[in-house]
Amino acid sequence: MEKSYQSPFQFIGSSVKSLRIKNDFLDLPKDGAKGSLDVSHKVVSVNTKSDDKGGYTSGVIELHIVASNTVDKKKYTVDLLMDGCFAVFEQMEVNDFRKMLVVNGVTALYSIARGFIISVSSQTLMSGNVTLPMFNVSAYSKDMSDENTETGNGQQ
């Protein structure tokens, strides 16, 4: 029996829209650094097309990450804004696609951002790099959903 575990939700591509780095260090100190992480997203667009051959839904999501380390008054900050395009090449309800876009899209982009920030920070510091912590996208998307329900806003 052959099973297919391929998701209908597919990554099309990503781009870095902006990157700002503030660096007061030559190297990040190993002890005494206080780190912070802020992650947010925005669904930029969702498009659906269907015809006699089937259909597809595509969407773009924007991910904004601000990570910093501080010791005394010195600070290293990475502010990254990137977007990614995703698609499902079959009929799918738009609300279901939006949910996948937020959970699966944010997960994929955060993973890409982690590698990107490691690479950039290793080139801007004398030694070492900034490694973003693992991020619980499931809890994040639930909080965003609860927050939107409480405030009466629609899904992002």
PDB file of all heavy atoms in Angstrom, residues 125-156:
ATOM      1  N   LEU A 125      28.918  39.942  12.770  1.00  0.00           N
ATOM      2  CA  LEU A 125      29.558  39.825  14.075  1.00  0.00           C
ATOM      3  C   LEU A 125      30.929  39.192  13.893  1.00  0.00           C
ATOM      4  O   LEU A 125      31.145  38.414  12.967  1.00  0.00           O
ATOM      5  CB  LEU A 125      28.708  38.963  15.020  1.00  0.00           C
ATOM      6  CG  LEU A 125      27.363  39.549  15.403  1.00  0.00           C
ATOM      7  CD1 LEU A 125      26.491  38.497  16.077  1.00  0.00           C
ATOM      8  CD2 LEU A 125      27.539  40.746  16.324  1.00  0.00           C
ATOM      9  N   MET A 126      31.846  39.531  14.804  1.00  0.00           N
ATOM     10  CA  MET A 126      33.202  39.005  14.697  1.00  0.00           C
ATOM     11  C   MET A 126      33.201  37.478  14.807  1.00  0.00           C
ATOM     12  O   MET A 126      33.926  36.795  14.094  1.00  0.00           O
ATOM     13  CB  MET A 126      34.081  39.615  15.787  1.00  0.00           C
ATOM     14  CG  MET A 126      35.544  39.284  15.647  1.00  0.00           C
ATOM     15  SD  MET A 126      36.567  40.216  16.791  1.00  0.00           S
ATOM     16  CE  MET A 126      36.225  39.387  18.312  1.00  0.00           C
ATOM     17  N   SER A 127      32.399  36.953  15.701  1.00  0.00           N
ATOM     18  CA  SER A 127      32.239  35.501  15.809  1.00  0.00           C
ATOM     19  C   SER A 127      30.840  35.222  16.342  1.00  0.00           C
ATOM     20  O   SER A 127      30.223  36.053  16.980  1.00  0.00           O
ATOM     21  CB  SER A 127      33.296  34.894  16.734  1.00  0.00           C
ATOM     22  OG  SER A 127      33.122  35.357  18.048  1.00  0.00           O
ATOM     23  N   GLY A 128      30.340  34.054  16.047  1.00  0.00           N
ATOM     24  CA  GLY A 128      29.005  33.682  16.502  1.00  0.00           C
ATOM     25  C   GLY A 128      27.926  34.213  15.576  1.00  0.00           C
ATOM     26  O   GLY A 128      28.199  34.780  14.517  1.00  0.00           O
ATOM     27  N   ASN A 129      26.695  34.009  16.004  1.00  0.00           N
ATOM     28  CA  ASN A 129      25.545  34.466  15.231  1.00  0.00           C
ATOM     29  C   ASN A 129      24.321  34.537  16.128  1.00  0.00           C
ATOM     30  O   ASN A 129      24.352  34.079  17.266  1.00  0.00           O
ATOM     31  CB  ASN A 129      25.285  33.529  14.045  1.00  0.00           C
ATOM     32  CG  ASN A 129      25.109  32.095  14.472  1.00  0.00           C
ATOM     33  OD1 ASN A 129      24.313  31.798  15.347  1.00  0.00           O
ATOM     34  ND2 ASN A 129      25.871  31.197  13.874  1.00  0.00           N
ATOM     35  N   VAL A 130      23.261  35.091  15.609  1.00  0.00           N
ATOM     36  CA  VAL A 130      21.982  35.152  16.309  1.00  0.00           C
ATOM     37  C   VAL A 130      21.139  33.987  15.801  1.00  0.00           C
ATOM     38  O   VAL A 130      20.892  33.867  14.605  1.00  0.00           O
ATOM     39  CB  VAL A 130      21.255  36.485  16.043  1.00  0.00           C
ATOM     40  CG1 VAL A 130      19.864  36.474  16.645  1.00  0.00           C
ATOM     41  CG2 VAL A 130      22.071  37.648  16.580  1.00  0.00           C
ATOM     42  N   THR A 131      20.726  33.129  16.714  1.00  0.00           N
ATOM     43  CA  THR A 131      19.871  32.006  16.372  1.00  0.00           C
ATOM     44  C   THR A 131      18.511  32.236  17.018  1.00  0.00           C
ATOM     45  O   THR A 131      18.415  32.320  18.243  1.00  0.00           O
ATOM     46  CB  THR A 131      20.466  30.675  16.877  1.00  0.00           C
ATOM     47  OG1 THR A 131      21.777  30.522  16.323  1.00  0.00           O
ATOM     48  CG2 THR A 131      19.599  29.507  16.473  1.00  0.00           C
ATOM     49  N   LEU A 132      17.489  32.375  16.191  1.00  0.00           N
ATOM     50  CA  LEU A 132      16.144  32.568  16.727  1.00  0.00           C
ATOM     51  C   LEU A 132      15.693  31.301  17.435  1.00  0.00           C
ATOM     52  O   LEU A 132      16.000  30.192  16.993  1.00  0.00           O
ATOM     53  CB  LEU A 132      15.157  32.882  15.604  1.00  0.00           C
ATOM     54  CG  LEU A 132      15.375  34.163  14.822  1.00  0.00           C
ATOM     55  CD1 LEU A 132      14.268  34.329  13.783  1.00  0.00           C
ATOM     56  CD2 LEU A 132      15.414  35.373  15.730  1.00  0.00           C
ATOM     57  N   PRO A 133      14.948  31.455  18.520  1.00  0.00           N
ATOM     58  CA  PRO A 133      14.438  30.267  19.214  1.00  0.00           C
ATOM     59  C   PRO A 133      13.364  29.579  18.375  1.00  0.00           C
ATOM     60  O   PRO A 133      12.806  30.172  17.450  1.00  0.00           O
ATOM     61  CB  PRO A 133      13.840  30.847  20.499  1.00  0.00           C
ATOM     62  CG  PRO A 133      13.465  32.244  20.136  1.00  0.00           C
ATOM     63  CD  PRO A 133      14.494  32.700  19.145  1.00  0.00           C
ATOM     64  N   MET A 134      13.068  28.330  18.701  1.00  0.00           N
ATOM     65  CA  MET A 134      11.944  27.655  18.070  1.00  0.00           C
ATOM     66  C   MET A 134      10.691  28.445  18.425  1.00  0.00           C
ATOM     67  O   MET A 134      10.619  29.091  19.465  1.00  0.00           O
ATOM     68  CB  MET A 134      11.832  26.211  18.555  1.00  0.00           C
ATOM     69  CG  MET A 134      13.017  25.346  18.143  1.00  0.00           C
ATOM     70  SD  MET A 134      13.249  25.224  16.366  1.00  0.00           S
ATOM     71  CE  MET A 134      11.858  24.240  15.900  1.00  0.00           C
ATOM     72  N   PHE A 135       9.706  28.403  17.544  1.00  0.00           N
ATOM     73  CA  PHE A 135       8.512  29.236  17.679  1.00  0.00           C
ATOM     74  C   PHE A 135       7.280  28.339  17.561  1.00  0.00           C
ATOM     75  O   PHE A 135       7.150  27.571  16.604  1.00  0.00           O
ATOM     76  CB  PHE A 135       8.534  30.296  16.565  1.00  0.00           C
ATOM     77  CG  PHE A 135       7.446  31.317  16.651  1.00  0.00           C
ATOM     78  CD1 PHE A 135       7.413  32.227  17.687  1.00  0.00           C
ATOM     79  CD2 PHE A 135       6.461  31.371  15.680  1.00  0.00           C
ATOM     80  CE1 PHE A 135       6.414  33.182  17.762  1.00  0.00           C
ATOM     81  CE2 PHE A 135       5.462  32.330  15.750  1.00  0.00           C
ATOM     82  CZ  PHE A 135       5.435  33.231  16.786  1.00  0.00           C
ATOM     83  N   ASN A 136       6.380  28.428  18.539  1.00  0.00           N
ATOM     84  CA  ASN A 136       5.174  27.609  18.559  1.00  0.00           C
ATOM     85  C   ASN A 136       4.089  28.293  17.724  1.00  0.00           C
ATOM     86  O   ASN A 136       3.310  29.099  18.238  1.00  0.00           O
ATOM     87  CB  ASN A 136       4.711  27.390  19.996  1.00  0.00           C
ATOM     88  CG  ASN A 136       3.575  26.400  20.093  1.00  0.00           C
ATOM     89  OD1 ASN A 136       2.833  26.184  19.146  1.00  0.00           O
ATOM     90  ND2 ASN A 136       3.438  25.808  21.272  1.00  0.00           N
ATOM     91  N   VAL A 137       4.038  27.990  16.447  1.00  0.00           N
ATOM     92  CA  VAL A 137       3.102  28.639  15.531  1.00  0.00           C
ATOM     93  C   VAL A 137       1.673  28.228  15.835  1.00  0.00           C
ATOM     94  O   VAL A 137       0.746  29.017  15.684  1.00  0.00           O
ATOM     95  CB  VAL A 137       3.460  28.330  14.059  1.00  0.00           C
ATOM     96  CG1 VAL A 137       2.463  28.954  13.107  1.00  0.00           C
ATOM     97  CG2 VAL A 137       4.858  28.844  13.748  1.00  0.00           C
ATOM     98  N   SER A 138       1.481  27.010  16.310  1.00  0.00           N
ATOM     99  CA  SER A 138       0.134  26.554  16.653  1.00  0.00           C
ATOM    100  C   SER A 138      -0.462  27.423  17.764  1.00  0.00           C
ATOM    101  O   SER A 138      -1.599  27.892  17.657  1.00  0.00           O
ATOM    102  CB  SER A 138       0.176  25.085  17.085  1.00  0.00           C
ATOM    103  OG  SER A 138      -1.095  24.640  17.444  1.00  0.00           O
ATOM    104  N   ALA A 139       0.300  27.655  18.822  1.00  0.00           N
ATOM    105  CA  ALA A 139      -0.176  28.513  19.919  1.00  0.00           C
ATOM    106  C   ALA A 139      -0.330  29.958  19.447  1.00  0.00           C
ATOM    107  O   ALA A 139      -1.299  30.644  19.808  1.00  0.00           O
ATOM    108  CB  ALA A 139       0.791  28.445  21.104  1.00  0.00           C
ATOM    109  N   TYR A 140       0.612  30.428  18.631  1.00  0.00           N
ATOM    110  CA  TYR A 140       0.550  31.787  18.083  1.00  0.00           C
ATOM    111  C   TYR A 140      -0.725  31.978  17.264  1.00  0.00           C
ATOM    112  O   TYR A 140      -1.458  32.956  17.454  1.00  0.00           O
ATOM    113  CB  TYR A 140       1.788  32.042  17.218  1.00  0.00           C
ATOM    114  CG  TYR A 140       1.735  33.294  16.374  1.00  0.00           C
ATOM    115  CD1 TYR A 140       1.968  34.547  16.928  1.00  0.00           C
ATOM    116  CD2 TYR A 140       1.461  33.222  15.007  1.00  0.00           C
ATOM    117  CE1 TYR A 140       1.924  35.695  16.145  1.00  0.00           C
ATOM    118  CE2 TYR A 140       1.421  34.359  14.226  1.00  0.00           C
ATOM    119  CZ  TYR A 140       1.649  35.594  14.801  1.00  0.00           C
ATOM    120  OH  TYR A 140       1.599  36.739  14.016  1.00  0.00           O
ATOM    121  N   SER A 141      -1.036  31.037  16.358  1.00  0.00           N
ATOM    122  CA  SER A 141      -2.219  31.201  15.511  1.00  0.00           C
ATOM    123  C   SER A 141      -3.498  31.105  16.329  1.00  0.00           C
ATOM    124  O   SER A 141      -4.476  31.800  16.043  1.00  0.00           O
ATOM    125  CB  SER A 141      -2.223  30.189  14.364  1.00  0.00           C
ATOM    126  OG  SER A 141      -2.345  28.886  14.855  1.00  0.00           O
ATOM    127  N   LYS A 142      -3.491  30.267  17.376  1.00  0.00           N
ATOM    128  CA  LYS A 142      -4.666  30.187  18.257  1.00  0.00           C
ATOM    129  C   LYS A 142      -4.865  31.515  18.977  1.00  0.00           C
ATOM    130  O   LYS A 142      -5.983  32.026  19.058  1.00  0.00           O
ATOM    131  CB  LYS A 142      -4.517  29.049  19.260  1.00  0.00           C
ATOM    132  CG  LYS A 142      -5.736  28.891  20.162  1.00  0.00           C
ATOM    133  CD  LYS A 142      -5.536  27.813  21.194  1.00  0.00           C
ATOM    134  CE  LYS A 142      -6.708  27.604  22.098  1.00  0.00           C
ATOM    135  NZ  LYS A 142      -7.396  28.778  22.588  1.00  0.00           N
ATOM    136  N   ASP A 143      -3.783  32.093  19.496  1.00  0.00           N
ATOM    137  CA  ASP A 143      -3.882  33.397  20.167  1.00  0.00           C
ATOM    138  C   ASP A 143      -4.373  34.468  19.206  1.00  0.00           C
ATOM    139  O   ASP A 143      -5.186  35.315  19.569  1.00  0.00           O
ATOM    140  CB  ASP A 143      -2.535  33.811  20.763  1.00  0.00           C
ATOM    141  CG  ASP A 143      -2.183  33.028  22.011  1.00  0.00           C
ATOM    142  OD1 ASP A 143      -3.056  32.308  22.546  1.00  0.00           O
ATOM    143  OD2 ASP A 143      -1.026  33.126  22.457  1.00  0.00           O
ATOM    144  N   MET A 144      -3.884  34.455  17.969  1.00  0.00           N
ATOM    145  CA  MET A 144      -4.332  35.440  16.973  1.00  0.00           C
ATOM    146  C   MET A 144      -5.814  35.253  16.669  1.00  0.00           C
ATOM    147  O   MET A 144      -6.563  36.214  16.550  1.00  0.00           O
ATOM    148  CB  MET A 144      -3.529  35.320  15.672  1.00  0.00           C
ATOM    149  CG  MET A 144      -2.072  35.699  15.793  1.00  0.00           C
ATOM    150  SD  MET A 144      -1.829  37.439  16.188  1.00  0.00           S
ATOM    151  CE  MET A 144      -1.411  37.339  17.922  1.00  0.00           C
ATOM    152  N   SER A 145      -6.262  34.002  16.585  1.00  0.00           N
ATOM    153  CA  SER A 145      -7.667  33.705  16.319  1.00  0.00           C
ATOM    154  C   SER A 145      -8.535  34.156  17.486  1.00  0.00           C
ATOM    155  O   SER A 145      -9.577  34.783  17.300  1.00  0.00           O
ATOM    156  CB  SER A 145      -7.840  32.205  16.074  1.00  0.00           C
ATOM    157  OG  SER A 145      -9.192  31.901  15.857  1.00  0.00           O
ATOM    158  N   ASP A 146      -8.099  33.859  18.734  1.00  0.00           N
ATOM    159  CA  ASP A 146      -8.836  34.285  19.925  1.00  0.00           C
ATOM    160  C   ASP A 146      -8.890  35.797  20.012  1.00  0.00           C
ATOM    161  O   ASP A 146      -9.931  36.381  20.333  1.00  0.00           O
ATOM    162  CB  ASP A 146      -8.197  33.718  21.197  1.00  0.00           C
ATOM    163  CG  ASP A 146      -8.351  32.211  21.314  1.00  0.00           C
ATOM    164  OD1 ASP A 146      -9.162  31.626  20.557  1.00  0.00           O
ATOM    165  OD2 ASP A 146      -7.643  31.618  22.149  1.00  0.00           O
ATOM    166  N   GLU A 147      -7.770  36.452  19.724  1.00  0.00           N
ATOM    167  CA  GLU A 147      -7.689  37.911  19.780  1.00  0.00           C
ATOM    168  C   GLU A 147      -8.642  38.552  18.764  1.00  0.00           C
ATOM    169  O   GLU A 147      -9.343  39.499  19.061  1.00  0.00           O
ATOM    170  CB  GLU A 147      -6.257  38.357  19.497  1.00  0.00           C
ATOM    171  CG  GLU A 147      -6.001  39.820  19.696  1.00  0.00           C
ATOM    172  CD  GLU A 147      -4.533  40.138  19.460  1.00  0.00           C
ATOM    173  OE1 GLU A 147      -3.697  39.715  20.268  1.00  0.00           O
ATOM    174  OE2 GLU A 147      -4.256  40.810  18.430  1.00  0.00           O
ATOM    175  N   ASN A 148      -8.705  37.994  17.551  1.00  0.00           N
ATOM    176  CA  ASN A 148      -9.600  38.514  16.518  1.00  0.00           C
ATOM    177  C   ASN A 148     -11.058  38.292  16.875  1.00  0.00           C
ATOM    178  O   ASN A 148     -11.909  39.113  16.573  1.00  0.00           O
ATOM    179  CB  ASN A 148      -9.291  37.898  15.160  1.00  0.00           C
ATOM    180  CG  ASN A 148      -7.983  38.409  14.604  1.00  0.00           C
ATOM    181  OD1 ASN A 148      -7.547  39.509  14.913  1.00  0.00           O
ATOM    182  ND2 ASN A 148      -7.329  37.599  13.798  1.00  0.00           N
ATOM    183  N   THR A 149     -11.366  37.174  17.544  1.00  0.00           N
ATOM    184  CA  THR A 149     -12.727  36.897  17.959  1.00  0.00           C
ATOM    185  C   THR A 149     -13.159  37.881  19.049  1.00  0.00           C
ATOM    186  O   THR A 149     -14.256  38.424  19.022  1.00  0.00           O
ATOM    187  CB  THR A 149     -12.847  35.446  18.490  1.00  0.00           C
ATOM    188  OG1 THR A 149     -12.456  34.558  17.445  1.00  0.00           O
ATOM    189  CG2 THR A 149     -14.266  35.134  18.929  1.00  0.00           C
ATOM    190  N   GLU A 150     -12.262  38.138  20.005  1.00  0.00           N
ATOM    191  CA  GLU A 150     -12.571  39.054  21.110  1.00  0.00           C
ATOM    192  C   GLU A 150     -12.767  40.488  20.646  1.00  0.00           C
ATOM    193  O   GLU A 150     -13.609  41.188  21.150  1.00  0.00           O
ATOM    194  CB  GLU A 150     -11.449  38.996  22.167  1.00  0.00           C
ATOM    195  CG  GLU A 150     -11.378  37.695  22.919  1.00  0.00           C
ATOM    196  CD  GLU A 150     -10.125  37.587  23.762  1.00  0.00           C
ATOM    197  OE1 GLU A 150      -9.399  38.596  23.912  1.00  0.00           O
ATOM    198  OE2 GLU A 150      -9.874  36.494  24.291  1.00  0.00           O
ATOM    199  N   THR A 151     -11.984  40.920  19.674  1.00  0.00           N
ATOM    200  CA  THR A 151     -12.068  42.304  19.236  1.00  0.00           C
ATOM    201  C   THR A 151     -13.078  42.515  18.115  1.00  0.00           C
ATOM    202  O   THR A 151     -13.336  43.629  17.717  1.00  0.00           O
ATOM    203  CB  THR A 151     -10.685  42.813  18.738  1.00  0.00           C
ATOM    204  OG1 THR A 151     -10.276  42.011  17.625  1.00  0.00           O
ATOM    205  CG2 THR A 151      -9.660  42.765  19.849  1.00  0.00           C
ATOM    206  N   GLY A 152     -13.616  41.402  17.605  1.00  0.00           N
ATOM    207  CA  GLY A 152     -14.588  41.512  16.525  1.00  0.00           C
ATOM    208  C   GLY A 152     -13.947  41.678  15.159  1.00  0.00           C
ATOM    209  O   GLY A 152     -14.632  41.865  14.165  1.00  0.00           O
ATOM    210  N   ASN A 153     -12.617  41.621  15.096  1.00  0.00           N
ATOM    211  CA  ASN A 153     -11.927  41.699  13.802  1.00  0.00           C
ATOM    212  C   ASN A 153     -12.035  40.362  13.100  1.00  0.00           C
ATOM    213  O   ASN A 153     -12.117  39.321  13.742  1.00  0.00           O
ATOM    214  CB  ASN A 153     -10.442  42.030  13.978  1.00  0.00           C
ATOM    215  CG  ASN A 153     -10.231  43.402  14.572  1.00  0.00           C
ATOM    216  OD1 ASN A 153     -11.070  44.290  14.435  1.00  0.00           O
ATOM    217  ND2 ASN A 153      -9.112  43.583  15.247  1.00  0.00           N
ATOM    218  N   GLY A 154     -11.972  40.377  11.801  1.00  0.00           N
ATOM    219  CA  GLY A 154     -11.920  39.136  11.044  1.00  0.00           C
ATOM    220  C   GLY A 154     -10.541  38.539  11.144  1.00  0.00           C
ATOM    221  O   GLY A 154      -9.656  39.086  11.799  1.00  0.00           O
ATOM    222  N   GLN A 155     -10.358  37.396  10.499  1.00  0.00           N
ATOM    223  CA  GLN A 155      -9.025  36.808  10.484  1.00  0.00           C
ATOM    224  C   GLN A 155      -8.082  37.730   9.753  1.00  0.00           C
ATOM    225  O   GLN A 155      -8.477  38.433   8.840  1.00  0.00           O
ATOM    226  CB  GLN A 155      -9.052  35.473   9.759  1.00  0.00           C
ATOM    227  CG  GLN A 155      -9.561  34.374  10.615  1.00  0.00           C
ATOM    228  CD  GLN A 155      -9.240  33.038   9.996  1.00  0.00           C
ATOM    229  OE1 GLN A 155      -8.732  32.948   8.887  1.00  0.00           O
ATOM    230  NE2 GLN A 155      -9.528  31.998  10.702  1.00  0.00           N
ATOM    231  N   GLN A 156      -6.854  37.706  10.183  1.00  0.00           N
ATOM    232  CA  GLN A 156      -5.849  38.547   9.517  1.00  0.00           C
ATOM    233  C   GLN A 156      -5.602  38.054   8.136  1.00  0.00           C
ATOM    234  O   GLN A 156      -5.673  36.942   7.800  1.00  0.00           O
ATOM    235  CB  GLN A 156      -4.541  38.522  10.311  1.00  0.00           C
ATOM    236  CG  GLN A 156      -4.684  39.284  11.574  1.00  0.00           C
ATOM    237  CD  GLN A 156      -3.307  39.594  12.155  1.00  0.00           C
ATOM    238  OE1 GLN A 156      -2.304  39.648  11.464  1.00  0.00           O
ATOM    239  NE2 GLN A 156      -3.268  39.847  13.426  1.00  0.00           N
TER     240      GLN A 156
END
